[in-house]
Amino acid sequence: MITAIVHINAEVDRIPEVAQTIAEIDGVSEVYSITGEYDLIAMVRVSAYEEIAEVIPGRLNKVAGVLHTETHIAFRTYSRHDLDAAFSIGLGESD
């Protein structure tokens, strides 16, 4: 499995629609609204490097309202538990 982390700048008034459209693209597993320099982060998970070109420049970058993207390819996952914990901070049930 190849994972790409895509930072996305979007038209401010279209962020929810852009996020929803990106979330519906095959190969996109999650989309997060974030603070900071970028508006959204999309997690792209595909089985071959060639698919990254189909998903990111082929579809994600063409979504109306996407202004700019920056893609990072992950080369190692340390643990599934760590990954799940990192992206669910504050979203779990309280004990």
Side-chain angles (χ1 to χ4, degrees):
M1 179 72 55
I2 297 145
T3 301
I5 299 99
V6 185
H7 297 129
I8 303 160
N9 280 334
E11 294 176 9
V12 174
D13 59 339
R14 300 199 63 210
I15 291 172
E17 294 83 9
V18 169
Q20 186 60 46
T21 301
I22 291 171
E24 294 170 2
I25 296 172
D26 287 339
V28 174
S29 60
E30 302 111 87
V31 178
Y32 300 95
S33 177
I34 60 170
T35 62
E37 183 178 345
Y38 295 95
D39 303 306
L40 302 167
I41 287 184
M43 303 300 290
V44 175
R45 293 190 171 89
V46 294
S47 57
Y49 284 103
E50 294 78 19
E51 293 177 68
I52 292 172
E54 295 171 21
V55 174
I56 299 169
R59 298 190 63 205
L60 190 151
N61 285 353
K62 294 178 180 178
V63 169
V66 170
L67 301 174
H68 173 77
T69 63
E70 182 176 299
T71 302
H72 301 267
I73 305 297
F75 54 88
R76 182 175 296 150
T77 300
Y78 289 94
S79 115
R80 179 75 186 160
H81 178 267
D82 291 344
L83 181 63
D84 288 343
F87 288 103
S88 65
I89 294 173
L91 299 178
E93 296 180 35
S94 35
D95 294 327

